[in-house]
Structure formats: structure tokens, C-alpha cells
Amino acid sequence: MFENLLKTLDQLSKTTAISIPLAADSKGYLDRECPNEDCLFHFKVNEEDWGRVQDDTSVTCPMCGHKAHRKSWYTTQQVQQAKERAIGSLQGAINKAMRDDARSFNSRQPRTSLVKISMRVTGSGAAIPDISVPIEAAEAMEMEIYCEQCSTKFAVVGAAFFCPACGHNSAERMFDDSLRKIKVKMSSVAIVRHAIESASGKDAAAVAARSMLESCLPDGVAAFQKHCEALYAKLPAVRPASFNAFQRLRDGSDLWKLAVGCGYEDWLTADELARLSVLFQRRHLLAHAEGMVDSKYLSNTGDATYREGQRIVVTERDIEDLSRSLEKLSACIRLAVAASLQ
């Protein structure tokens, strides 16, 4: 009576996988998600580049650096959609088999019998889902990145520190992203101030706005330090840099002068270098003295705008000057290091 159903169930029991293709977005990127539950970072990888990643190769999360097998990076939405389509496919196959059995059973019943027996299958009667229909990709990410190490193309929202294909940590990209985030943070101060003022009052809004601006100074100096350390490490047979040497402009400049023949005074104007020196010293006050001006700061900078015991005020112009000078230095250092490595 249930020949088709039993046959279908036997076939399904031997099925080890149901293929559900994934669709790339309009730019050719596939959605991926970090399997680390503390991260779950969503990013995209170029479909062709992803195809070149071997099954036994670990993929790296661009955000947290977590490594996992290539098959571990499906997004939560992709997994849910795949489950729904797989269940729909199974239900459709069973429904069709039962309907075929019912038609076969009914066709065999004698038409002249006093007792008539028929079989009817209820349900949606939906056709077997077309499992070749791909899961659509989500909206394209804003920042597209090209790995200088393995040429993989990937895309993220916000920032990325590692290439998903080779795990390369790009010092240049990290520095560029850090400066970009600083600029975004600075441009968002007014928005944040307004939002917090509406929710928590003017005092809380003023504290948050000041904190956002002040954090840009140490963020910029720290990014520059890490950037310089990474570039300096590329050079062979150089004098080891002391701890946090690139947080100190004079020490950093001396290291570069010995390594590549040029220092900061060769890449910045006298006014730019003097201004940057003041901003680095103000960063030091924020990090180690709660921003309170001391005699050492006044002696090192000659800053006549403050007296000992005052607290520094960080302005948008400070952050703009810092970013502009650090970008200029970074470009010159990159060129000098590249020339030295040739």
C-alpha cells in the first residue's frame, strides 16, 4: 500500500547531504560569520577567493583573529535558512510519495463493490522545494579590503585586523583604520552629546563628549606606535627599539634616522613637529596625570597657554592636527622602509 513512501524513506535515509548553494552579492561577495560566540563578527569574502581556500585550511576572523575550519563560517541566517529548506525538501518528498500511493491505491479499488475504500492525503500539497535556489547574500559591506599578502578581497563594516584567508595582520591597514575611526569618533561627538543630553541630561552629555575627544589623543599615539613598531621590525639588522620608544617623538625619530637615514624633522616642517610634540606630551598627561599640567610638561613643551595645576582641554583642532601629521609621517616612513628593503 505504501510502496512509494517506503521507497522514498529508504532513499532519504541514504541521503547524507542536501546541497543548498549560497548566492554572492552584486559585487561577488559571500556572507561569512565568525564561529566564536564571543565575537560573531559578520564579514564578506570574494566568492572566487573563498573558493581557493582549501577545506583543511583554517580561516581567520578579520576582527578577533579566531581560527576555524573553512566549513565553520556560515552565518546564523544561512544556517537557519538551510535548515528550513532541508526540512521543506524532506516534507515535500514524503508528501509526494504519499499522494502517489493514495492515487495508486484508489485506482486499484473495484468500482462495482458495495463497500468503497479510498485514501486521501491531507496537507498543504506544496510541491517539492527547489533546493537549487540559492540563499541570497545580505547587503554589501561598506569597506572593501585587499590583502597585500595573499591578494584575497574581503569586506567589513567598521574595521578589520586580519585577512580571513591567510591571517595576515596588516600594520598599514590597522593604522589607517585607527585614524579613520578617530575621525569618525570626532565627527560623532555632537550627535552623541545630543543623544545623551536627551536621555540623561547636560552634565552626562558634557562628560561623554569630552571623554570622546580626549580618547582620540591616546588612540592616535598608540596606533602610530604600533604602526612604527611593525614597520621597524621589517628592517634587518637594526638596533632593537626600547619599550614604547615610538611613543616618544625624539627617540622614535633617532631610531628611524639610524635605520633609514631620515628622521621626523626631515618629513615634517618645524611648526608641524613642534605642534605634534605638544600633542604627544598632552597625551602623556591624559594617560598618567589625569590631564593635569605639571612642571615637566611646561618644561618639555614651552606651552604658554597653560599654567601648572591647570587641566588640558582637547579640541577638535588638536585631533585634526594630530591625524594630519601622523598620516604624513606614516606615508614617509612607509616609503623609506620600502626603499630600504629593495
Side-chain angles (χ1 to χ4, degrees):
M1 179 183 297
F2 297 106
E3 293 88 351
N4 288 299
L5 176 59
L6 293 174
K7 182 179 179 181
T8 297
L9 290 175
D10 181 61
Q11 291 174 342
L12 292 175
S13 68
K14 297 176 182 177
T15 301
T16 59
I18 297 176
S19 177
I20 302 178
L22 303 180
D25 64 20
S26 59
K27 294 183 178 181
Y29 287 95
L30 291 171
D31 292 279
R32 306 284 80 170
E33 182 180 283
C34 178
N36 178 5
E37 293 185 358
D38 293 330
C39 180
L40 299 178
F41 183 67
H42 185 201
F43 61 101
K44 289 175 178 283
V45 178
N46 178 268
E47 185 175 23
E48 293 184 3
D49 293 340
W50 184 261
R52 288 195 290 269
V53 177
Q54 300 300 315
D55 286 348
D56 58 352
T57 301
S58 290
V59 174
T60 304
C61 174
M63 174 56 67
C64 73
H66 176 78
K67 293 182 179 294
H69 193 276
R70 180 179 183 268
K71 295 181 179 179
S72 303
W73 297 82
Y74 297 109
T75 70
T76 303
Q77 183 182 19
Q78 287 170 346
V79 172
Q80 182 59 35
Q81 288 179 315
K83 287 180 179 179
E84 292 173 357
R85 293 190 180 182
I87 292 172
S89 175
L90 296 175
Q91 289 176 336
I94 292 172
N95 184 279
K96 181 179 182 301
M98 293 180 68
R99 288 179 180 276
D100 290 343
D101 282 333
R103 282 193 296 269
S104 177
F105 175 82
N106 293 336
S107 67
R108 293 197 301 266
Q109 300 308 304
R111 297 182 180 181
T112 59
S113 175
L114 293 176
V115 178
K116 293 185 177 181
I117 300 175
S118 65
M119 182 185 297
R120 182 168 63 93
V121 178
T122 60
S124 63
I128 299 176
D130 181 2
I131 60 173
S132 66
V133 176
I135 297 175
E136 294 301 326
E139 185 177 346
M141 298 290 180
E142 291 186 6
M143 184 194 302
E144 296 181 45
I145 300 170
Y146 179 85
C147 177
E148 62 267 32
Q149 189 80 6
C150 71
S151 303
T152 292
K153 296 179 287 296
F154 59 104
V156 301
V157 169
F161 304 104
F162 306 94
C163 169
C166 71
H168 176 60
N169 181 2
S170 170
E172 288 84 354
R173 187 173 68 246
M174 286 185 67
F175 176 72
D176 294 340
D177 285 350
S178 295
L179 287 191
R180 185 175 58 84
K181 285 184 287 185
I182 288 171
K183 293 175 182 178
V184 170
K185 187 187 296 186
M186 183 177 65
S187 65
S188 301
V189 168
I191 298 173
V192 171
R193 179 194 290 270
H194 177 74
I196 295 179
E197 185 174 323
S198 300
S200 304
K202 291 184 178 181
D203 287 343
V207 170
R210 185 178 69 244
S211 178
M212 282 184 67
L213 268 181
E214 289 182 353
S215 69
C216 291
L217 272 182
D219 285 354
V221 174
F224 181 70
Q225 173 199 343
K226 295 296 184 183
H227 182 50
C228 286
E229 288 175 348
L231 292 174
Y232 191 75
K234 292 182 178 182
L235 297 171
V238 291
R239 187 180 77 186
S242 61
F243 181 69
N244 285 345
F246 292 105
Q247 283 189 8
R248 302 182 294 274
L249 286 179
R250 184 173 299 172
D251 290 350
S253 181
D254 289 343
L255 285 172
W256 288 122
K257 194 173 295 184
L258 289 173
V260 299
C262 294
Y264 296 158
E265 66 272 19
D266 299 302
W267 297 321
L268 296 178
T269 67
D271 289 342
E272 288 172 334
L273 187 55
R275 173 71 169 148
L276 189 61
S277 178
V278 169
L279 294 175
F280 266 55
Q281 289 293 325
R282 290 182 182 178
R283 191 281 319 171
H284 183 82
L285 289 181
L286 288 171
H288 303 287
E290 297 295 330
M292 303 301 293
V293 175
D294 55 23
S295 58
K296 186 176 180 180
Y297 167 81
L298 295 175
S299 174
N300 287 339
T301 64
D303 187 354
T305 59
Y306 289 102
R307 298 189 307 274
E308 187 174 352
Q310 285 187 294
R311 191 180 190 281
I312 61 167
V313 176
V314 179
T315 66
E316 291 188 9
R317 185 198 162 199
D318 292 336
I319 309 307
E320 290 170 353
D321 289 348
L322 177 78
S323 298
R324 183 166 49 251
S325 292
L326 292 184
E327 283 180 316
K328 187 174 180 179
L329 278 180
S330 171
C332 294
I333 294 171
R334 293 184 199 189
L335 289 174
V337 169
S340 297
L341 293 175
Q342 289 180 351

PDB file of all heavy atoms in Angstrom, residues 17 23 41 49 59 66 83-84 109 111 127 137 148 159 170 200 215 230 238 248 266 318 322:
ATOM      1  N   ALA A  17      23.590  14.321   2.474  1.00  0.00           N
ATOM      2  CA  ALA A  17      23.637  15.785   2.428  1.00  0.00           C
ATOM      3  C   ALA A  17      22.657  16.306   1.395  1.00  0.00           C
ATOM      4  O   ALA A  17      22.366  15.635   0.399  1.00  0.00           O
ATOM      5  CB  ALA A  17      25.045  16.265   2.105  1.00  0.00           C
ATOM      6  N   ALA A  23      24.339  32.375  -2.591  1.00  0.00           N
ATOM      7  CA  ALA A  23      24.495  33.387  -3.643  1.00  0.00           C
ATOM      8  C   ALA A  23      25.427  34.501  -3.170  1.00  0.00           C
ATOM      9  O   ALA A  23      25.384  34.916  -2.014  1.00  0.00           O
ATOM     10  CB  ALA A  23      23.138  33.973  -4.009  1.00  0.00           C
ATOM     11  N   PHE A  41      31.447  38.091  14.462  1.00  0.00           N
ATOM     12  CA  PHE A  41      31.667  39.197  13.529  1.00  0.00           C
ATOM     13  C   PHE A  41      31.189  38.801  12.134  1.00  0.00           C
ATOM     14  O   PHE A  41      31.496  37.721  11.639  1.00  0.00           O
ATOM     15  CB  PHE A  41      33.151  39.554  13.501  1.00  0.00           C
ATOM     16  CG  PHE A  41      33.506  40.712  12.630  1.00  0.00           C
ATOM     17  CD1 PHE A  41      33.083  41.991  12.950  1.00  0.00           C
ATOM     18  CD2 PHE A  41      34.290  40.533  11.494  1.00  0.00           C
ATOM     19  CE1 PHE A  41      33.422  43.076  12.142  1.00  0.00           C
ATOM     20  CE2 PHE A  41      34.636  41.608  10.691  1.00  0.00           C
ATOM     21  CZ  PHE A  41      34.198  42.880  11.020  1.00  0.00           C
ATOM     22  N   ASP A  49      37.821  34.079  -4.361  1.00  0.00           N
ATOM     23  CA  ASP A  49      38.908  33.923  -3.395  1.00  0.00           C
ATOM     24  C   ASP A  49      38.561  32.861  -2.353  1.00  0.00           C
ATOM     25  O   ASP A  49      39.420  32.075  -1.937  1.00  0.00           O
ATOM     26  CB  ASP A  49      39.203  35.259  -2.700  1.00  0.00           C
ATOM     27  CG  ASP A  49      39.770  36.290  -3.666  1.00  0.00           C
ATOM     28  OD1 ASP A  49      40.275  35.887  -4.732  1.00  0.00           O
ATOM     29  OD2 ASP A  49      39.696  37.489  -3.357  1.00  0.00           O
ATOM     30  N   VAL A  59      40.482  29.264   8.514  1.00  0.00           N
ATOM     31  CA  VAL A  59      40.082  30.617   8.152  1.00  0.00           C
ATOM     32  C   VAL A  59      40.194  31.484   9.406  1.00  0.00           C
ATOM     33  O   VAL A  59      39.943  31.028  10.519  1.00  0.00           O
ATOM     34  CB  VAL A  59      38.645  30.623   7.600  1.00  0.00           C
ATOM     35  CG1 VAL A  59      38.161  32.050   7.344  1.00  0.00           C
ATOM     36  CG2 VAL A  59      38.573  29.808   6.314  1.00  0.00           C
ATOM     37  N   HIS A  66      40.206  34.719  15.559  1.00  0.00           N
ATOM     38  CA  HIS A  66      39.842  33.318  15.811  1.00  0.00           C
ATOM     39  C   HIS A  66      40.017  32.507  14.533  1.00  0.00           C
ATOM     40  O   HIS A  66      39.663  32.965  13.447  1.00  0.00           O
ATOM     41  CB  HIS A  66      38.383  33.247  16.287  1.00  0.00           C
ATOM     42  CG  HIS A  66      37.874  31.855  16.485  1.00  0.00           C
ATOM     43  ND1 HIS A  66      38.187  31.109  17.601  1.00  0.00           N
ATOM     44  CD2 HIS A  66      37.066  31.068  15.718  1.00  0.00           C
ATOM     45  CE1 HIS A  66      37.601  29.927  17.513  1.00  0.00           C
ATOM     46  NE2 HIS A  66      36.921  29.878  16.385  1.00  0.00           N
ATOM     47  N   LYS A  83      18.327  24.985   7.107  1.00  0.00           N
ATOM     48  CA  LYS A  83      17.507  24.023   7.846  1.00  0.00           C
ATOM     49  C   LYS A  83      16.068  24.038   7.337  1.00  0.00           C
ATOM     50  O   LYS A  83      15.455  22.989   7.130  1.00  0.00           O
ATOM     51  CB  LYS A  83      17.537  24.335   9.342  1.00  0.00           C
ATOM     52  CG  LYS A  83      18.847  23.997  10.034  1.00  0.00           C
ATOM     53  CD  LYS A  83      18.783  24.349  11.513  1.00  0.00           C
ATOM     54  CE  LYS A  83      20.079  23.983  12.225  1.00  0.00           C
ATOM     55  NZ  LYS A  83      20.024  24.360  13.671  1.00  0.00           N
ATOM     56  N   GLU A  84      15.540  25.252   7.158  1.00  0.00           N
ATOM     57  CA  GLU A  84      14.158  25.374   6.700  1.00  0.00           C
ATOM     58  C   GLU A  84      13.986  24.754   5.308  1.00  0.00           C
ATOM     59  O   GLU A  84      12.993  24.064   5.041  1.00  0.00           O
ATOM     60  CB  GLU A  84      13.749  26.843   6.681  1.00  0.00           C
ATOM     61  CG  GLU A  84      13.641  27.456   8.080  1.00  0.00           C
ATOM     62  CD  GLU A  84      13.391  28.950   8.036  1.00  0.00           C
ATOM     63  OE1 GLU A  84      13.366  29.509   6.910  1.00  0.00           O
ATOM     64  OE2 GLU A  84      13.231  29.562   9.114  1.00  0.00           O
ATOM     65  N   GLN A 109      -9.019   0.106  -6.598  1.00  0.00           N
ATOM     66  CA  GLN A 109     -10.262  -0.291  -5.944  1.00  0.00           C
ATOM     67  C   GLN A 109     -11.332  -0.610  -6.986  1.00  0.00           C
ATOM     68  O   GLN A 109     -11.493   0.132  -7.970  1.00  0.00           O
ATOM     69  CB  GLN A 109     -10.747   0.821  -5.012  1.00  0.00           C
ATOM     70  CG  GLN A 109      -9.754   1.166  -3.899  1.00  0.00           C
ATOM     71  CD  GLN A 109      -9.308  -0.064  -3.140  1.00  0.00           C
ATOM     72  OE1 GLN A 109     -10.155  -0.813  -2.609  1.00  0.00           O
ATOM     73  NE2 GLN A 109      -8.001  -0.299  -3.110  1.00  0.00           N
ATOM     74  N   ARG A 111     -14.740  -0.696  -8.871  1.00  0.00           N
ATOM     75  CA  ARG A 111     -15.772   0.342  -8.965  1.00  0.00           C
ATOM     76  C   ARG A 111     -17.167  -0.195  -8.631  1.00  0.00           C
ATOM     77  O   ARG A 111     -18.072   0.581  -8.294  1.00  0.00           O
ATOM     78  CB  ARG A 111     -15.776   0.932 -10.369  1.00  0.00           C
ATOM     79  CG  ARG A 111     -14.460   1.626 -10.721  1.00  0.00           C
ATOM     80  CD  ARG A 111     -14.527   2.236 -12.106  1.00  0.00           C
ATOM     81  NE  ARG A 111     -13.268   2.901 -12.442  1.00  0.00           N
ATOM     82  CZ  ARG A 111     -13.065   3.537 -13.592  1.00  0.00           C
ATOM     83  NH1 ARG A 111     -14.034   3.585 -14.506  1.00  0.00           N
ATOM     84  NH2 ARG A 111     -11.905   4.112 -13.820  1.00  0.00           N
ATOM     85  N   ALA A 127       4.500  21.726  -3.667  1.00  0.00           N
ATOM     86  CA  ALA A 127       5.467  20.993  -4.472  1.00  0.00           C
ATOM     87  C   ALA A 127       6.787  20.888  -3.723  1.00  0.00           C
ATOM     88  O   ALA A 127       7.071  21.634  -2.788  1.00  0.00           O
ATOM     89  CB  ALA A 127       5.678  21.717  -5.801  1.00  0.00           C
ATOM     90  N   ALA A 137      22.545  36.743  -0.602  1.00  0.00           N
ATOM     91  CA  ALA A 137      23.528  37.427   0.218  1.00  0.00           C
ATOM     92  C   ALA A 137      22.927  38.706   0.793  1.00  0.00           C
ATOM     93  O   ALA A 137      22.034  39.303   0.216  1.00  0.00           O
ATOM     94  CB  ALA A 137      24.760  37.781  -0.617  1.00  0.00           C
ATOM     95  N   GLU A 148      47.389  42.515   1.026  1.00  0.00           N
ATOM     96  CA  GLU A 148      48.631  42.651   0.272  1.00  0.00           C
ATOM     97  C   GLU A 148      49.494  41.390   0.347  1.00  0.00           C
ATOM     98  O   GLU A 148      50.434  41.233  -0.415  1.00  0.00           O
ATOM     99  CB  GLU A 148      49.443  43.851   0.785  1.00  0.00           C
ATOM    100  CG  GLU A 148      49.885  43.755   2.219  1.00  0.00           C
ATOM    101  CD  GLU A 148      48.929  44.401   3.186  1.00  0.00           C
ATOM    102  OE1 GLU A 148      47.714  44.397   2.923  1.00  0.00           O
ATOM    103  OE2 GLU A 148      49.395  44.907   4.225  1.00  0.00           O
ATOM    104  N   ALA A 159      35.919  47.913  10.981  1.00  0.00           N
ATOM    105  CA  ALA A 159      37.360  47.721  10.879  1.00  0.00           C
ATOM    106  C   ALA A 159      37.670  46.244  10.783  1.00  0.00           C
ATOM    107  O   ALA A 159      36.864  45.390  11.149  1.00  0.00           O
ATOM    108  CB  ALA A 159      38.064  48.327  12.095  1.00  0.00           C
ATOM    109  N   SER A 170      47.872  43.305   8.877  1.00  0.00           N
ATOM    110  CA  SER A 170      48.494  44.396   8.149  1.00  0.00           C
ATOM    111  C   SER A 170      48.688  45.616   9.046  1.00  0.00           C
ATOM    112  O   SER A 170      47.721  46.224   9.500  1.00  0.00           O
ATOM    113  CB  SER A 170      47.626  44.784   6.945  1.00  0.00           C
ATOM    114  OG  SER A 170      48.092  45.978   6.373  1.00  0.00           O
ATOM    115  N   SER A 200      19.913  61.664  29.438  1.00  0.00           N
ATOM    116  CA  SER A 200      20.463  61.711  30.799  1.00  0.00           C
ATOM    117  C   SER A 200      20.816  63.106  31.292  1.00  0.00           C
ATOM    118  O   SER A 200      21.314  63.241  32.407  1.00  0.00           O
ATOM    119  CB  SER A 200      21.720  60.826  30.867  1.00  0.00           C
ATOM    120  OG  SER A 200      21.428  59.514  30.452  1.00  0.00           O
ATOM    121  N   SER A 215      39.853  60.816  24.239  1.00  0.00           N
ATOM    122  CA  SER A 215      40.323  59.469  23.905  1.00  0.00           C
ATOM    123  C   SER A 215      40.998  59.419  22.547  1.00  0.00           C
ATOM    124  O   SER A 215      41.760  58.490  22.254  1.00  0.00           O
ATOM    125  CB  SER A 215      39.151  58.476  23.943  1.00  0.00           C
ATOM    126  OG  SER A 215      38.235  58.721  22.882  1.00  0.00           O
ATOM    127  N   ALA A 230      55.759  47.802  13.872  1.00  0.00           N
ATOM    128  CA  ALA A 230      55.597  46.783  12.838  1.00  0.00           C
ATOM    129  C   ALA A 230      56.487  47.073  11.631  1.00  0.00           C
ATOM    130  O   ALA A 230      57.117  46.164  11.068  1.00  0.00           O
ATOM    131  CB  ALA A 230      54.136  46.691  12.418  1.00  0.00           C
ATOM    132  N   VAL A 238      68.695  46.066  12.536  1.00  0.00           N
ATOM    133  CA  VAL A 238      68.536  47.391  13.130  1.00  0.00           C
ATOM    134  C   VAL A 238      68.704  47.281  14.642  1.00  0.00           C
ATOM    135  O   VAL A 238      68.536  46.201  15.228  1.00  0.00           O
ATOM    136  CB  VAL A 238      67.155  47.997  12.808  1.00  0.00           C
ATOM    137  CG1 VAL A 238      67.053  48.337  11.341  1.00  0.00           C
ATOM    138  CG2 VAL A 238      66.025  47.065  13.234  1.00  0.00           C
ATOM    139  N   ARG A 248      57.597  58.244  22.054  1.00  0.00           N
ATOM    140  CA  ARG A 248      58.424  59.418  22.324  1.00  0.00           C
ATOM    141  C   ARG A 248      59.013  59.894  20.992  1.00  0.00           C
ATOM    142  O   ARG A 248      59.794  59.173  20.348  1.00  0.00           O
ATOM    143  CB  ARG A 248      59.536  59.071  23.317  1.00  0.00           C
ATOM    144  CG  ARG A 248      59.003  58.535  24.634  1.00  0.00           C
ATOM    145  CD  ARG A 248      60.125  58.243  25.636  1.00  0.00           C
ATOM    146  NE  ARG A 248      60.986  57.142  25.196  1.00  0.00           N
ATOM    147  CZ  ARG A 248      60.728  55.848  25.438  1.00  0.00           C
ATOM    148  NH1 ARG A 248      59.634  55.512  26.099  1.00  0.00           N
ATOM    149  NH2 ARG A 248      61.559  54.911  25.019  1.00  0.00           N
ATOM    150  N   ASP A 266      62.972  65.597   8.983  1.00  0.00           N
ATOM    151  CA  ASP A 266      63.116  65.563   7.523  1.00  0.00           C
ATOM    152  C   ASP A 266      61.764  65.418   6.829  1.00  0.00           C
ATOM    153  O   ASP A 266      61.647  65.701   5.632  1.00  0.00           O
ATOM    154  CB  ASP A 266      64.015  64.391   7.103  1.00  0.00           C
ATOM    155  CG  ASP A 266      65.410  64.500   7.683  1.00  0.00           C
ATOM    156  OD1 ASP A 266      66.076  65.520   7.410  1.00  0.00           O
ATOM    157  OD2 ASP A 266      65.820  63.584   8.419  1.00  0.00           O
ATOM    158  N   ASP A 318      42.961  69.982  17.779  1.00  0.00           N
ATOM    159  CA  ASP A 318      44.054  69.128  18.244  1.00  0.00           C
ATOM    160  C   ASP A 318      44.042  67.786  17.505  1.00  0.00           C
ATOM    161  O   ASP A 318      45.080  67.296  17.047  1.00  0.00           O
ATOM    162  CB  ASP A 318      43.930  68.868  19.749  1.00  0.00           C
ATOM    163  CG  ASP A 318      44.163  70.110  20.577  1.00  0.00           C
ATOM    164  OD1 ASP A 318      44.843  71.025  20.091  1.00  0.00           O
ATOM    165  OD2 ASP A 318      43.647  70.158  21.712  1.00  0.00           O
ATOM    166  N   LEU A 322      46.806  66.327  14.901  1.00  0.00           N
ATOM    167  CA  LEU A 322      47.448  65.054  15.196  1.00  0.00           C
ATOM    168  C   LEU A 322      47.298  64.087  14.022  1.00  0.00           C
ATOM    169  O   LEU A 322      48.277  63.499  13.553  1.00  0.00           O
ATOM    170  CB  LEU A 322      46.834  64.438  16.457  1.00  0.00           C
ATOM    171  CG  LEU A 322      47.375  63.052  16.853  1.00  0.00           C
ATOM    172  CD1 LEU A 322      48.718  63.198  17.534  1.00  0.00           C
ATOM    173  CD2 LEU A 322      46.392  62.319  17.768  1.00  0.00           C
TER     174      LEU A 322
END
